[in-house]
Amino acid sequence: MKTSVFSLALMILSTVLINISAIAQKSDPNMWPNFRGSNCSGVASPGQDPPITFSSDKNVLWKIALPGGHSSPCIWGDRIFISGYQIEGKLLKMVCIERKNGKIKWEEDIPVETFEKFNAVSNPATATPTTDGERVYFYFCSFGMICYDFNGKLQWKLPMPVPKSYNDNGIGTSPVIAGNLVILNCFGHMNDPRLLAVNKFDGKTIWEYSLPNKEGYSGNSSSTPVIYKDQVIIYRSADVAGYNLKTGDLIWRFAIGGTDAIGTPVIQNDILYMVAYSTQGNPDAVAQFPDFKGLTSKYDKNEDLMIDKDEIKDFQIFTYPEMPEISTKTYIANHFGTFDKNKNGLIDSTEWKAIIGNLASLYTKQGLKAIKLGGQGDISLNNYLWSNPDQISHISSPLYYNNHIYMVRDGGNISCFNSESGKLLYRGKLNAPGAYFSSPIAANGRIYIASRNGIVTVFDSGEKLNILAQNNLDELITATPAVVDNKIYLRTEKTLYAFVKK
């Protein structure tokens, strides 16, 4: 842990700024202040009653064209904040929209020299802004953090080096506010993995927690921070851990050992619920590898019961077999050295079985997990409550609502668990196939979840799956909706909608 040294006074101030009673975000019908609303929970304020059915021309209060981007709506009072980007001119965009009529109140651009690397389904505007009701804070991997007041006047900038991310997939984390700090998860930055807290008034660093060993770091984290009492909690591929909000010191950790730390945890009743996913350990991925007998029967051209790189040159696998519409293929030969442990240029049965066994072992580390909060140091054994590794979500975050945990898997498979026991209450199909990048939200006893293909399914909360409506927006959806003032605000690929019962 490395602490800012620009002045002793600032350190003293940081203690004052962390007013614990103000840390917990309170539910309010007129605000949705960051990704998934109050403490990233995805739960609307009590009494909110957004429409069940809607489309591009039904129950529409207004709609507005937006630049490209995956960030979700950030709302306070009559203002909606959202980000975007423009390839021409390499521009990052920050937009403030009047909530009552959908008109743009102000818009600012930041030109950058280069965008960070990102995969085919991501882009440079994935982070959802956060607001404290007076200022709004944007984060872009290609620039850093930037703060404006509600009238669009620049307050401060905090430029950061463009990060290198795990497999160059981009980084999807969003900033959050805790007291007078803006917290940003940078553990996904392979060239500078850290957790950062800055003063929300001037952007100066209050503290940062840097990982002790950066050399060879290959960790992954796109999870958004969540706040618990006097702690900030972050999920990364190695663990989920709590850090002191005043100092940034590590308090506790729960070992994970997965690969894809993407979804954001949720907290209820001193229990943290999270999804640990491993692309490589996913059964659909492992199933693409035959046993050694099947491998040699197809590829062992010289019949020496060994496989060389040339023999396996045509063997391809899908990176995300459960999401064929976005998946790419990769050649096994490109990773030949991973299999050829003794470096003799051949893969034998022992080496093949070892690598398949390693991939399969990742399955045991993944799952929807319930962790009791409290304690110090390694809490991996004492605080474990329950876990379920089957049919888990990849990018979409879990939802806690009315003593149940909901989780949607790519392909449109929904699972519902008892939050206390971990008992599976049901698992069913939403009849809306495809990838799910958006996270579920809850309002008025209903769950809303959007597929990337543009279908928003609405179903009853409870112990049985009862689908109420499936709304086709006819555009790709990646962002998570927001609910404020009995309206649902939903961003599609090209449009921001405000839906209301009419």
Side-chain angles (χ1 to χ4, degrees), residues 74-128:
C74 164
I75 303 174
W76 193 289
D78 192 38
R79 286 172 169 79
I80 301 174
F81 303 100
I82 208 157
S83 64
Y85 76 103
Q86 178 180 307
I87 293 292
E88 298 80 10
K90 291 189 175 67
L91 296 178
L92 302 172
K93 293 180 169 290
M94 293 151 289
V95 184
C96 176
I97 299 165
E98 293 187 53
R99 188 168 64 84
K100 62 183 177 182
N101 54 29
K103 294 182 178 179
I104 293 179
K105 189 172 184 64
W106 54 263
E107 182 175 353
E108 297 291 336
D109 296 341
I110 302 176
V112 294
E113 292 184 5
T114 183
F115 291 133
E116 78 275 13
K117 291 184 179 181
F118 50 88
N119 61 26
V121 296
S122 187
N123 62 51
T126 59
T128 297

Short mmCIF file of all heavy atoms in Angstrom, two decimals, residues 74-128:
data_model
loop_
_atom_site.label_atom_id
_atom_site.label_comp_id
_atom_site.label_asym_id
_atom_site.label_seq_id
_atom_site.Cartn_x
_atom_site.Cartn_y
_atom_site.Cartn_z
N CYS A 74 -26.88 7.23 -15.56
CA CYS A 74 -26.63 7.72 -14.20
C CYS A 74 -27.59 8.89 -14.00
O CYS A 74 -27.58 9.84 -14.79
CB CYS A 74 -25.17 8.14 -14.07
SG CYS A 74 -24.78 9.18 -12.64
N ILE A 75 -28.42 8.85 -12.95
CA ILE A 75 -29.52 9.80 -12.83
C ILE A 75 -29.53 10.45 -11.46
O ILE A 75 -29.37 9.78 -10.44
CB ILE A 75 -30.87 9.09 -13.08
CG1 ILE A 75 -30.88 8.41 -14.45
CG2 ILE A 75 -32.03 10.07 -12.97
CD1 ILE A 75 -32.10 7.57 -14.72
N TRP A 76 -29.74 11.76 -11.47
CA TRP A 76 -29.98 12.51 -10.23
C TRP A 76 -30.97 13.63 -10.53
O TRP A 76 -30.69 14.51 -11.33
CB TRP A 76 -28.68 13.09 -9.69
CG TRP A 76 -28.82 13.59 -8.27
CD1 TRP A 76 -29.51 14.69 -7.85
CD2 TRP A 76 -28.26 13.00 -7.09
NE1 TRP A 76 -29.43 14.84 -6.49
CE2 TRP A 76 -28.66 13.80 -5.99
CE3 TRP A 76 -27.48 11.88 -6.85
CZ2 TRP A 76 -28.28 13.52 -4.68
CZ3 TRP A 76 -27.10 11.60 -5.55
CH2 TRP A 76 -27.51 12.41 -4.49
N GLY A 77 -32.15 13.56 -9.88
CA GLY A 77 -33.15 14.59 -10.10
C GLY A 77 -33.56 14.64 -11.56
O GLY A 77 -33.98 13.65 -12.14
N ASP A 78 -33.41 15.80 -12.19
CA ASP A 78 -33.85 16.00 -13.56
C ASP A 78 -32.71 15.81 -14.56
O ASP A 78 -32.84 16.19 -15.72
CB ASP A 78 -34.47 17.39 -13.73
CG ASP A 78 -35.21 17.52 -15.07
OD1 ASP A 78 -35.85 16.54 -15.48
OD2 ASP A 78 -35.10 18.59 -15.70
N ARG A 79 -31.60 15.23 -14.13
CA ARG A 79 -30.47 15.07 -15.05
C ARG A 79 -30.10 13.60 -15.23
O ARG A 79 -30.07 12.83 -14.26
CB ARG A 79 -29.26 15.86 -14.55
CG ARG A 79 -29.40 17.37 -14.75
CD ARG A 79 -28.26 18.11 -14.05
NE ARG A 79 -28.20 19.51 -14.39
CZ ARG A 79 -28.96 20.47 -13.90
NH1 ARG A 79 -29.90 20.12 -13.01
NH2 ARG A 79 -28.83 21.72 -14.27
N ILE A 80 -29.82 13.25 -16.46
CA ILE A 80 -29.29 11.94 -16.81
C ILE A 80 -27.90 12.15 -17.39
O ILE A 80 -27.71 12.99 -18.28
CB ILE A 80 -30.17 11.21 -17.83
CG1 ILE A 80 -31.58 11.02 -17.30
CG2 ILE A 80 -29.56 9.86 -18.22
CD1 ILE A 80 -32.54 10.43 -18.32
N PHE A 81 -26.94 11.40 -16.91
CA PHE A 81 -25.57 11.48 -17.42
C PHE A 81 -25.22 10.16 -18.09
O PHE A 81 -25.53 9.08 -17.57
CB PHE A 81 -24.59 11.78 -16.29
CG PHE A 81 -24.90 13.04 -15.54
CD1 PHE A 81 -25.55 12.99 -14.31
CD2 PHE A 81 -24.56 14.28 -16.06
CE1 PHE A 81 -25.84 14.15 -13.61
CE2 PHE A 81 -24.86 15.45 -15.38
CZ PHE A 81 -25.49 15.39 -14.15
N ILE A 82 -24.56 10.27 -19.22
CA ILE A 82 -24.19 9.07 -19.96
C ILE A 82 -22.96 9.39 -20.81
O ILE A 82 -22.70 10.57 -21.12
CB ILE A 82 -25.38 8.59 -20.83
CG1 ILE A 82 -25.32 7.08 -21.04
CG2 ILE A 82 -25.48 9.37 -22.12
CD1 ILE A 82 -26.66 6.46 -21.37
N SER A 83 -22.19 8.39 -21.16
CA SER A 83 -20.97 8.63 -21.94
C SER A 83 -21.06 7.94 -23.29
O SER A 83 -21.90 7.06 -23.52
CB SER A 83 -19.74 8.13 -21.18
OG SER A 83 -19.79 6.74 -20.99
N GLY A 84 -20.17 8.33 -24.19
CA GLY A 84 -20.12 7.75 -25.51
C GLY A 84 -18.76 7.98 -26.14
O GLY A 84 -17.84 8.50 -25.50
N TYR A 85 -18.65 7.62 -27.39
CA TYR A 85 -17.39 7.84 -28.10
C TYR A 85 -17.66 8.01 -29.58
O TYR A 85 -18.74 7.69 -30.09
CB TYR A 85 -16.44 6.65 -27.88
CG TYR A 85 -16.79 5.43 -28.69
CD1 TYR A 85 -16.07 5.09 -29.83
CD2 TYR A 85 -17.86 4.62 -28.33
CE1 TYR A 85 -16.42 3.97 -30.58
CE2 TYR A 85 -18.19 3.51 -29.06
CZ TYR A 85 -17.48 3.18 -30.19
OH TYR A 85 -17.82 2.08 -30.93
N GLN A 86 -16.67 8.55 -30.28
CA GLN A 86 -16.76 8.75 -31.72
C GLN A 86 -15.42 8.36 -32.33
O GLN A 86 -14.37 8.90 -31.95
CB GLN A 86 -17.09 10.21 -32.03
CG GLN A 86 -17.17 10.55 -33.50
CD GLN A 86 -17.51 12.02 -33.71
OE1 GLN A 86 -18.49 12.52 -33.18
NE2 GLN A 86 -16.66 12.70 -34.48
N ILE A 87 -15.45 7.40 -33.24
CA ILE A 87 -14.23 6.93 -33.87
C ILE A 87 -13.53 8.06 -34.62
O ILE A 87 -12.32 8.28 -34.48
CB ILE A 87 -14.51 5.76 -34.82
CG1 ILE A 87 -14.99 4.53 -34.04
CG2 ILE A 87 -13.27 5.42 -35.64
CD1 ILE A 87 -13.93 3.91 -33.17
N GLU A 88 -14.30 8.82 -35.42
CA GLU A 88 -13.72 9.93 -36.17
C GLU A 88 -13.23 11.00 -35.20
O GLU A 88 -13.99 11.53 -34.39
CB GLU A 88 -14.75 10.55 -37.12
CG GLU A 88 -15.27 9.60 -38.18
CD GLU A 88 -16.34 8.65 -37.68
OE1 GLU A 88 -16.82 8.86 -36.54
OE2 GLU A 88 -16.68 7.71 -38.41
N GLY A 89 -11.96 11.31 -35.27
CA GLY A 89 -11.38 12.31 -34.37
C GLY A 89 -10.99 11.76 -33.02
O GLY A 89 -10.50 12.50 -32.17
N LYS A 90 -11.26 10.48 -32.78
CA LYS A 90 -10.94 9.83 -31.50
C LYS A 90 -11.47 10.67 -30.33
O LYS A 90 -10.72 11.19 -29.51
CB LYS A 90 -9.43 9.60 -31.36
CG LYS A 90 -8.87 8.55 -32.30
CD LYS A 90 -7.42 8.24 -31.95
CE LYS A 90 -6.88 7.10 -32.80
NZ LYS A 90 -6.78 7.47 -34.23
N LEU A 91 -12.79 10.78 -30.26
CA LEU A 91 -13.43 11.61 -29.24
C LEU A 91 -14.14 10.75 -28.19
O LEU A 91 -14.81 9.77 -28.52
CB LEU A 91 -14.46 12.54 -29.89
CG LEU A 91 -13.94 13.60 -30.86
CD1 LEU A 91 -15.10 14.39 -31.44
CD2 LEU A 91 -12.94 14.53 -30.17
N LEU A 92 -13.97 11.14 -26.93
CA LEU A 92 -14.75 10.59 -25.83
C LEU A 92 -15.81 11.63 -25.49
O LEU A 92 -15.52 12.82 -25.38
CB LEU A 92 -13.85 10.31 -24.63
CG LEU A 92 -12.69 9.35 -24.89
CD1 LEU A 92 -11.76 9.30 -23.69
CD2 LEU A 92 -13.21 7.96 -25.22
N LYS A 93 -17.05 11.16 -25.27
CA LYS A 93 -18.16 12.09 -25.12
C LYS A 93 -18.84 11.94 -23.77
O LYS A 93 -19.03 10.83 -23.27
CB LYS A 93 -19.19 11.86 -26.24
CG LYS A 93 -18.68 12.23 -27.63
CD LYS A 93 -19.73 11.99 -28.69
CE LYS A 93 -19.32 12.61 -30.01
NZ LYS A 93 -19.35 14.09 -29.97
N MET A 94 -19.19 13.09 -23.20
CA MET A 94 -19.93 13.14 -21.94
C MET A 94 -21.19 13.96 -22.17
O MET A 94 -21.11 15.10 -22.61
CB MET A 94 -19.06 13.76 -20.85
CG MET A 94 -17.87 12.87 -20.48
SD MET A 94 -16.44 13.82 -19.90
CE MET A 94 -15.92 14.58 -21.44
N VAL A 95 -22.35 13.36 -21.85
CA VAL A 95 -23.63 13.96 -22.20
C VAL A 95 -24.50 14.10 -20.96
O VAL A 95 -24.60 13.17 -20.15
CB VAL A 95 -24.36 13.11 -23.27
CG1 VAL A 95 -25.64 13.79 -23.71
CG2 VAL A 95 -23.46 12.83 -24.47
N CYS A 96 -25.14 15.26 -20.83
CA CYS A 96 -26.14 15.51 -19.79
C CYS A 96 -27.48 15.73 -20.47
O CYS A 96 -27.60 16.59 -21.35
CB CYS A 96 -25.75 16.73 -18.95
SG CYS A 96 -26.99 17.20 -17.70
N ILE A 97 -28.48 14.97 -20.06
CA ILE A 97 -29.80 14.99 -20.70
C ILE A 97 -30.85 15.39 -19.67
O ILE A 97 -30.81 14.95 -18.52
CB ILE A 97 -30.12 13.60 -21.27
CG1 ILE A 97 -29.09 13.22 -22.32
CG2 ILE A 97 -31.53 13.55 -21.86
CD1 ILE A 97 -29.10 11.75 -22.70
N GLU A 98 -31.80 16.22 -20.08
CA GLU A 98 -32.92 16.58 -19.21
C GLU A 98 -33.88 15.40 -19.12
O GLU A 98 -34.40 14.94 -20.13
CB GLU A 98 -33.63 17.81 -19.76
CG GLU A 98 -32.79 19.08 -19.72
CD GLU A 98 -33.59 20.31 -20.11
OE1 GLU A 98 -34.66 20.52 -19.48
OE2 GLU A 98 -33.17 21.03 -21.01
N ARG A 99 -34.09 14.94 -17.89
CA ARG A 99 -34.87 13.72 -17.71
C ARG A 99 -36.33 13.88 -18.12
O ARG A 99 -36.97 12.92 -18.56
CB ARG A 99 -34.77 13.25 -16.24
CG ARG A 99 -35.39 11.89 -16.01
CD ARG A 99 -35.02 11.32 -14.65
NE ARG A 99 -35.53 12.12 -13.55
CZ ARG A 99 -36.76 12.01 -13.05
NH1 ARG A 99 -37.61 11.15 -13.57
NH2 ARG A 99 -37.14 12.76 -12.04
N LYS A 100 -36.88 15.07 -17.99
CA LYS A 100 -38.31 15.25 -18.25
C LYS A 100 -38.66 15.20 -19.73
O LYS A 100 -39.78 14.82 -20.11
CB LYS A 100 -38.81 16.56 -17.65
CG LYS A 100 -38.14 17.80 -18.22
CD LYS A 100 -38.63 19.06 -17.52
CE LYS A 100 -37.91 20.31 -18.05
NZ LYS A 100 -38.35 21.52 -17.33
N ASN A 101 -37.71 15.60 -20.60
CA ASN A 101 -38.06 15.69 -22.03
C ASN A 101 -37.03 15.04 -22.97
O ASN A 101 -37.26 14.99 -24.17
CB ASN A 101 -38.27 17.15 -22.44
CG ASN A 101 -37.08 18.03 -22.09
OD1 ASN A 101 -35.94 17.58 -22.04
ND2 ASN A 101 -37.35 19.31 -21.84
N GLY A 102 -35.90 14.58 -22.44
CA GLY A 102 -34.91 13.92 -23.29
C GLY A 102 -34.05 14.86 -24.11
O GLY A 102 -33.31 14.40 -24.99
N LYS A 103 -34.09 16.15 -23.81
CA LYS A 103 -33.25 17.09 -24.56
C LYS A 103 -31.84 17.16 -23.94
O LYS A 103 -31.69 17.05 -22.73
CB LYS A 103 -33.89 18.47 -24.56
CG LYS A 103 -35.21 18.53 -25.33
CD LYS A 103 -35.77 19.94 -25.34
CE LYS A 103 -37.07 20.01 -26.14
NZ LYS A 103 -37.65 21.38 -26.14
N ILE A 104 -30.85 17.37 -24.79
CA ILE A 104 -29.48 17.48 -24.31
C ILE A 104 -29.28 18.83 -23.64
O ILE A 104 -29.53 19.89 -24.23
CB ILE A 104 -28.47 17.30 -25.46
CG1 ILE A 104 -28.54 15.86 -25.98
CG2 ILE A 104 -27.05 17.61 -25.00
CD1 ILE A 104 -27.61 15.56 -27.13
N LYS A 105 -28.85 18.80 -22.39
CA LYS A 105 -28.60 20.03 -21.64
C LYS A 105 -27.18 20.53 -21.91
O LYS A 105 -26.96 21.71 -22.11
CB LYS A 105 -28.80 19.79 -20.15
CG LYS A 105 -28.79 21.06 -19.30
CD LYS A 105 -29.19 20.78 -17.87
CE LYS A 105 -29.26 22.06 -17.05
NZ LYS A 105 -30.31 22.96 -17.54
N TRP A 106 -26.22 19.61 -21.91
CA TRP A 106 -24.85 19.96 -22.31
C TRP A 106 -24.11 18.71 -22.75
O TRP A 106 -24.49 17.60 -22.40
CB TRP A 106 -24.07 20.70 -21.22
CG TRP A 106 -23.99 20.07 -19.87
CD1 TRP A 106 -24.77 20.33 -18.79
CD2 TRP A 106 -23.02 19.08 -19.43
NE1 TRP A 106 -24.38 19.58 -17.71
CE2 TRP A 106 -23.31 18.80 -18.07
CE3 TRP A 106 -21.96 18.41 -20.04
CZ2 TRP A 106 -22.56 17.88 -17.32
CZ3 TRP A 106 -21.22 17.49 -19.30
CH2 TRP A 106 -21.52 17.25 -17.96
N GLU A 107 -23.08 18.92 -23.54
CA GLU A 107 -22.27 17.82 -24.05
C GLU A 107 -20.83 18.30 -24.17
O GLU A 107 -20.57 19.41 -24.63
CB GLU A 107 -22.80 17.38 -25.41
CG GLU A 107 -22.04 16.21 -26.02
CD GLU A 107 -22.67 15.72 -27.31
OE1 GLU A 107 -23.76 16.20 -27.67
OE2 GLU A 107 -22.06 14.85 -27.97
N GLU A 108 -19.90 17.47 -23.71
CA GLU A 108 -18.48 17.79 -23.77
C GLU A 108 -17.72 16.64 -24.42
O GLU A 108 -18.10 15.47 -24.26
CB GLU A 108 -17.91 18.06 -22.37
CG GLU A 108 -18.52 19.27 -21.66
CD GLU A 108 -18.13 20.59 -22.29
OE1 GLU A 108 -17.06 20.63 -22.96
OE2 GLU A 108 -18.88 21.57 -22.13
N ASP A 109 -16.65 16.98 -25.13
CA ASP A 109 -15.82 15.98 -25.80
C ASP A 109 -14.39 16.07 -25.28
O ASP A 109 -13.91 17.14 -24.90
CB ASP A 109 -15.79 16.20 -27.31
CG ASP A 109 -17.14 16.01 -27.96
OD1 ASP A 109 -18.01 15.38 -27.34
OD2 ASP A 109 -17.32 16.51 -29.09
N ILE A 110 -13.71 14.92 -25.27
CA ILE A 110 -12.28 14.86 -24.98
C ILE A 110 -11.59 14.12 -26.13
O ILE A 110 -11.88 12.95 -26.37
CB ILE A 110 -11.96 14.10 -23.68
CG1 ILE A 110 -12.66 14.73 -22.49
CG2 ILE A 110 -10.45 14.06 -23.43
CD1 ILE A 110 -12.45 13.95 -21.21
N PRO A 111 -10.69 14.79 -26.87
CA PRO A 111 -9.92 14.07 -27.89
C PRO A 111 -8.78 13.30 -27.23
O PRO A 111 -8.18 13.75 -26.26
CB PRO A 111 -9.39 15.19 -28.78
CG PRO A 111 -9.30 16.39 -27.87
CD PRO A 111 -10.40 16.23 -26.84
N VAL A 112 -8.51 12.09 -27.72
CA VAL A 112 -7.41 11.29 -27.20
C VAL A 112 -6.52 10.86 -28.36
O VAL A 112 -6.94 10.82 -29.52
CB VAL A 112 -7.92 10.04 -26.44
CG1 VAL A 112 -8.66 10.45 -25.17
CG2 VAL A 112 -8.82 9.18 -27.32
N GLU A 113 -5.27 10.53 -28.03
CA GLU A 113 -4.33 10.10 -29.05
C GLU A 113 -4.66 8.70 -29.55
O GLU A 113 -4.50 8.39 -30.73
CB GLU A 113 -2.90 10.14 -28.51
CG GLU A 113 -2.40 11.54 -28.23
CD GLU A 113 -0.95 11.53 -27.79
OE1 GLU A 113 -0.33 10.45 -27.79
OE2 GLU A 113 -0.44 12.62 -27.47
N THR A 114 -5.11 7.84 -28.65
CA THR A 114 -5.43 6.48 -29.02
C THR A 114 -6.47 5.92 -28.06
O THR A 114 -6.55 6.33 -26.91
CB THR A 114 -4.17 5.58 -28.99
OG1 THR A 114 -4.52 4.27 -29.44
CG2 THR A 114 -3.59 5.49 -27.59
N PHE A 115 -7.30 5.02 -28.55
CA PHE A 115 -8.22 4.28 -27.70
C PHE A 115 -7.51 3.06 -27.14
O PHE A 115 -6.59 2.51 -27.76
CB PHE A 115 -9.45 3.81 -28.48
CG PHE A 115 -10.38 4.92 -28.91
CD1 PHE A 115 -10.85 4.96 -30.20
CD2 PHE A 115 -10.77 5.90 -28.03
CE1 PHE A 115 -11.72 5.96 -30.62
CE2 PHE A 115 -11.63 6.92 -28.42
CZ PHE A 115 -12.11 6.95 -29.72
N GLU A 116 -7.93 2.61 -25.96
CA GLU A 116 -7.39 1.36 -25.43
C GLU A 116 -7.84 0.20 -26.32
O GLU A 116 -8.83 0.31 -27.04
CB GLU A 116 -7.85 1.13 -23.99
CG GLU A 116 -9.27 0.61 -23.83
CD GLU A 116 -10.33 1.68 -23.82
OE1 GLU A 116 -10.03 2.85 -24.17
OE2 GLU A 116 -11.48 1.38 -23.46
N LYS A 117 -7.12 -0.90 -26.26
CA LYS A 117 -7.54 -2.08 -27.01
C LYS A 117 -8.78 -2.68 -26.37
O LYS A 117 -8.90 -2.72 -25.15
CB LYS A 117 -6.41 -3.11 -27.04
CG LYS A 117 -5.22 -2.68 -27.89
CD LYS A 117 -4.18 -3.79 -27.95
CE LYS A 117 -3.01 -3.37 -28.83
NZ LYS A 117 -1.98 -4.44 -28.93
N PHE A 118 -9.69 -3.14 -27.21
CA PHE A 118 -10.91 -3.76 -26.71
C PHE A 118 -11.38 -4.79 -27.71
O PHE A 118 -10.98 -4.77 -28.88
CB PHE A 118 -12.00 -2.72 -26.43
CG PHE A 118 -12.25 -1.77 -27.57
CD1 PHE A 118 -13.16 -2.08 -28.57
CD2 PHE A 118 -11.58 -0.56 -27.64
CE1 PHE A 118 -13.39 -1.21 -29.62
CE2 PHE A 118 -11.81 0.33 -28.69
CZ PHE A 118 -12.72 0.01 -29.68
N ASN A 119 -12.21 -5.72 -27.25
CA ASN A 119 -12.65 -6.80 -28.13
C ASN A 119 -13.80 -6.35 -29.03
O ASN A 119 -14.24 -5.19 -28.98
CB ASN A 119 -13.03 -8.04 -27.32
CG ASN A 119 -14.16 -7.77 -26.35
OD1 ASN A 119 -14.98 -6.89 -26.54
ND2 ASN A 119 -14.21 -8.53 -25.26
N ALA A 120 -14.30 -7.28 -29.83
CA ALA A 120 -15.28 -6.95 -30.86
C ALA A 120 -16.61 -6.46 -30.32
O ALA A 120 -17.36 -5.78 -31.02
CB ALA A 120 -15.50 -8.16 -31.77
N VAL A 121 -16.94 -6.80 -29.07
CA VAL A 121 -18.24 -6.41 -28.53
C VAL A 121 -18.12 -5.30 -27.47
O VAL A 121 -19.12 -4.91 -26.88
CB VAL A 121 -18.97 -7.62 -27.92
CG1 VAL A 121 -19.30 -8.63 -29.00
CG2 VAL A 121 -18.15 -8.27 -26.82
N SER A 122 -16.92 -4.81 -27.24
CA SER A 122 -16.74 -3.73 -26.28
C SER A 122 -16.45 -2.43 -27.02
O SER A 122 -16.48 -2.37 -28.26
CB SER A 122 -15.59 -4.07 -25.32
OG SER A 122 -15.50 -3.11 -24.28
N ASN A 123 -16.18 -1.37 -26.27
CA ASN A 123 -15.83 -0.08 -26.88
C ASN A 123 -15.23 0.83 -25.82
O ASN A 123 -15.18 0.46 -24.64
CB ASN A 123 -17.05 0.56 -27.57
CG ASN A 123 -18.18 0.88 -26.62
OD1 ASN A 123 -17.99 1.52 -25.60
ND2 ASN A 123 -19.38 0.42 -26.95
N PRO A 124 -14.77 2.04 -26.18
CA PRO A 124 -14.09 2.91 -25.22
C PRO A 124 -14.99 3.63 -24.22
O PRO A 124 -14.48 4.40 -23.40
CB PRO A 124 -13.37 3.94 -26.13
CG PRO A 124 -13.36 3.36 -27.49
CD PRO A 124 -14.60 2.53 -27.57
N ALA A 125 -16.31 3.43 -24.30
CA ALA A 125 -17.23 4.12 -23.38
C ALA A 125 -18.08 3.10 -22.65
O ALA A 125 -19.30 3.02 -22.84
CB ALA A 125 -18.10 5.12 -24.14
N THR A 126 -17.44 2.30 -21.80
CA THR A 126 -18.16 1.26 -21.06
C THR A 126 -18.47 1.65 -19.63
O THR A 126 -19.39 1.12 -19.02
CB THR A 126 -17.36 -0.05 -21.05
OG1 THR A 126 -16.10 0.19 -20.46
CG2 THR A 126 -17.15 -0.58 -22.47
N ALA A 127 -17.68 2.55 -19.05
CA ALA A 127 -17.85 2.91 -17.63
C ALA A 127 -19.05 3.83 -17.44
O ALA A 127 -19.19 4.85 -18.12
CB ALA A 127 -16.58 3.58 -17.11
N THR A 128 -19.91 3.48 -16.49
CA THR A 128 -21.05 4.31 -16.15
C THR A 128 -20.59 5.46 -15.25
O THR A 128 -19.83 5.26 -14.31
CB THR A 128 -22.10 3.48 -15.41
OG1 THR A 128 -22.57 2.45 -16.31
CG2 THR A 128 -23.28 4.32 -14.96
#
